[in-house]
Amino acid sequence: MTPPNAPDPTAAPGGPVPAVGGVVGVGEAARRDRAEQHDRWLRTLLPERAGVALVAVGGLGRRQCAPHGDLDLVLVHTGVPGIDDLAASIWYPVWDAGVRLDHSVRTVGEALSVALDDVKVSLGLLDARYVAGDRAVADELVRTAADQWRRTAVRQLPALREVTESRWQTHGELAFLLEGDLKEAAGGLRDVGILRAIATAGLTDALRPAVRAAHLRLLDTRDALHQQVGRRVDRLLAQARAGVAALLGLRQPAPAPPPGAAVGDGDALLRRVAGDARTVSHALDDAWRAADRLRVRRRRGADGRPVRRPVARDVVEHDGELVLARTAIGARPDPVLSLRVAAAAATTRLPIARATCEWLAAYCPPLPSPWPAEARAALVTLLGAGPGLVAAWETCDRYGLVDAWLPEWPRLRSLPQHNPVHRYTVDRHLVQAAAEASRFAREVDRPDLLLLGAFLHDIGKGLPGDGADGPVVADHSVLGAPLAEAVATRVGLPPAEVVLIGTLVRLHLLLPDVATRRDLDDPVTITQVAEAVGDVATLDLLHALVRADAAATGPGAWSDWKGRLVAGLVGRVRTALDTGALPAPPAPDPALLAEPLPVVHLTADTVAVAAADRRGLLATVAGCLALHRLEVVAADAATVDGRALVTCRVQPRYGLPPDPVALAADLRRAVAGDVSVIQRLRGRALAARAGGAAPRVVWHRDAATDAVVLELRAADAAGLLYRVTSALDAAGVEVRAARISTLGGDVVDAFYLVGTGPDDDTRAHLEATVLAAV
């Protein structure tokens, strides 16, 4: 009989590879059909023999076989002779068929002994199912493994939890990953197996209907992924996402994609997976707590009573969870009650009991508009709870309480962010930003507005025109400002504070964008920021919001260098707002003007060069730095007393700094015109050209005192600054400064071109020159 997963040599290259004689398809019926086909094939490999049984575990044991899944088999015996030869006669045909196999040969006693020492084996045996051979032997293993687990589960769960949390550290949270592992990530299929084990032990009803439904959808997604890719893979790869969505019936909304494009809605798939992963994760959190409570009760003994103490109005702690006071349940429900419970959970870092969440979702009336002061205070307490906020918010969100507070929330829930700098979906990012903002509450005059502004700063994402699914009509900060103001009005803020919330949302990108893309020593830069901000109190709020936003985004969104730039900008703007004083041009390093030419000075993050006055020095220095794998984050060029000066702020591209002696030698030879160095620069520049989306040039005529700013948005690549500055130099343009801002795999490079700005024809020529260099 043909093995179910044998590859098909006639399948089209690059497309899904169906199994010869196997079942291709998505859904419970297809999975069971694949399991039955595996069973029939395996029965042909084991001759009838007393005392020997072939038992399936894993996906085959559960009859949940993926199209390109592996086989997990146990050959169980009673000590019969020749068992090793018999096992080989089964395993080798499986391997010869190209099927991945996880196998073992054990007696029932050996299997139970191993299960006691290895909790993963214990869980695997809970899926054991007879396939072939002596059914009595298989039934004994199935029965005794389940009995042993029920007796020892409470003792084994701490080890299981340790293994599980280690896996989560490795694979992350499925709900927030663009390319998550459907099996191993937190909230994935492996966690459903843990829920099934906890339910088998009788500790809690872990497999509730919502969890079962989420489990089936995750299985369907994995089936579709295998079918789309044509091999065993559990990571939801970006290039397969649209095809998987199409197989699952998640189609793109109108307008239809162009002919030949994938028709699946990849974002809808990500949102569905995120919702299912959250359901699983929340259920597992509940299950762990149930197990912990059981262990505590056993230690207390029959006479021990659970702790019950009040923690807030109408909220008490009972047995390690928050529940409603009896007076709250008996009285007419208070609209603010759900917010008070959430705030108490966040501040005490105690979980809300499931029954309490269900009662609040069913009986807590909606809040009036505008909110009463008590509700507003509870929201601020919740948002300001710091580390306790996220867990409390997630719990409330799973039971629909957040939707009752904020009608805008369903649009944001599980909304993916395709910028690799972001590690969270939009909703989780907003909650995380509020949690991070609490660390800066003492640095601002209005910490309540900081918390609310941080929570609402990206509310404009996902709207038509924000650039996520088409051309940018308006930035999400602009789109989000009126939405944030509407929320602030509903919450009950006075008009002046509503306007300030809108300002925080609209300007939340101002400080980092200006700090990394503009010359902070240019008075025009400081004047424009001061005019936009208006006062010091707003400036402080924006500074705190920027840091909270970056911390909630991910490690790639912030660096010590960026932090210093933003702090420097804030200091200059604060001075301008307080005194009206603007920064004076920085004086050049006296050593660059006094030492014999060429002069090269190196520090940990600065490279300064002086040479005889000539065009193209900035390009030469930039190329030499790229040659030594240094990234330039800021560059300034000037001519003083007949000397051309270039100062660059740098950082290693791959983490290790270059040899300073070799770097200084190459810089001196390069500025002196050494042909060998110039040839190396050009060769490296050609080899480093990057692909990706089409680059774009944007002009800013009023952003500098004595220059026009050409802003290049392109894919990041080694030597990009060298290529662009060389092209501008060849076009006869003088560049006095450059600022480089890296965003994931993209860069925004701002070049200060000396003069009042080119005419339309010259500008078009320069754009073409720069784009050709990219």
Side-chain angles (χ1 to χ4, degrees), residues 355-373:
T356 300
C357 292
E358 292 171 343
W359 190 94
L360 290 171
Y363 298 111
C364 193
L367 287 158
S369 183
W371 289 10

Side-chain angles (χ1 to χ4, degrees), residues 62 64 119 122-124 126-127 149-150 153 157 160-161 164 167-168 182-183 185-216 218 275-291 354 398-399:
R62 297 186 299 272
Q64 294 170 350
V119 68
S122 289
L123 264 62
L126 295 179
D127 298 325
W149 171 251
R150 292 188 186 97
L157 281 179
L160 176 59
R161 191 168 189 172
T164 301
R167 170 169 53 82
W168 291 347
L182 296 170
K183 184 176 182 180
L189 295 170
R190 186 77 73 186
D191 284 353
V192 178
I194 297 174
L195 286 170
R196 188 166 47 248
I198 294 175
T200 300
L203 302 180
T204 181
D205 55 338
L207 292 175
R208 307 186 84 199
V211 176
R212 291 193 181 98
H215 180 215
L216 291 177
L218 289 173
D276 292 337
R278 282 172 149 166
T279 297
V280 172
S281 292
H282 189 73
L284 189 51
D285 288 341
D286 277 348
W288 291 133
R289 289 199 300 271
R354 187 174 72 194
R398 296 312 300 167
Y399 288 92

Side-chain angles (χ1 to χ4, degrees), residues 184-459:
E184 303 292 349
L189 295 170
R190 186 77 73 186
D191 284 353
V192 178
I194 297 174
L195 286 170
R196 188 166 47 248
I198 294 175
T200 300
L203 302 180
T204 181
D205 55 338
L207 292 175
R208 307 186 84 199
V211 176
R212 291 193 181 98
H215 180 215
L216 291 177
R217 286 190 294 267
L218 289 173
L219 287 173
D220 289 348
T221 303
R222 186 177 65 171
D223 289 354
L225 178 61
H226 282 207
Q227 187 169 327
Q228 174 67 22
V229 177
R231 58 184 174 86
R232 181 179 184 264
V233 59
D234 293 326
R235 264 185 82 203
L236 188 54
L237 303 171
Q239 60 267 31
R241 197 182 297 140
V244 171
L247 288 171
L248 295 173
L250 300 173
R251 303 279 170 163
Q252 288 186 10
V263 296
D265 189 341
D267 278 4
L269 173 62
L270 286 176
R271 296 185 82 157
R272 192 174 91 167
V273 168
D276 292 337
R278 282 172 149 166
T279 297
V280 172
S281 292
H282 189 73
L284 189 51
D285 288 341
D286 277 348
W288 291 133
R289 289 199 300 271
D292 290 341
R293 287 197 301 273
L294 181 59
R295 283 198 301 273
V296 171
R297 288 170 186 165
R298 289 184 176 181
R299 285 198 300 267
R300 281 199 302 251
D303 297 331
R305 292 185 177 182
V307 175
R308 187 177 179 90
R309 65 181 180 88
V311 296
R313 177 186 160 196
D314 297 327
V315 186
V316 298
E317 177 191 353
H318 176 76
D319 209 11
E321 293 182 322
L322 296 187
V323 300
L324 295 177
R326 296 182 181 92
T327 54
I329 297 175
R332 181 179 179 181
D334 178 0
V336 186
L337 182 58
S338 61
L339 274 169
R340 282 204 305 273
V341 173
T347 53
T348 62
R349 302 191 194 181
L350 290 172
I352 309 172
R354 187 174 72 194
T356 300
C357 292
E358 292 171 343
W359 190 94
L360 290 171
Y363 298 111
C364 193
L367 287 158
S369 183
W371 289 10
E374 184 188 0
R376 192 163 56 253
L379 177 64
V380 171
T381 301
L382 173 61
L383 295 179
L389 166 62
V390 173
W393 191 275
E394 281 284 313
T395 297
C396 294
D397 194 19
R398 296 312 300 167
Y399 288 92
L401 302 181
V402 175
D403 292 2
W405 306 335
L406 299 168
E408 299 83 359
W409 200 250
R411 179 179 61 81
L412 301 170
R413 183 181 294 113
S414 300
L415 182 64
Q417 304 197 75
H418 294 285
N419 189 321
V421 173
H422 277 276
R423 60 181 171 182
Y424 294 129
T425 52
V426 172
D427 58 333
R428 172 63 185 275
H429 172 69
L430 294 178
V431 176
Q432 191 70 40
E436 299 290 348
S438 66
R439 297 190 292 122
F440 308 108
R442 297 183 181 181
E443 299 181 14
V444 297
D445 293 338
R446 291 296 304 272
D448 56 335
L449 299 185
L450 169 62
L451 295 168
L452 194 57
F455 176 67
L456 297 173
H457 75 280
D458 275 351
I459 195 174

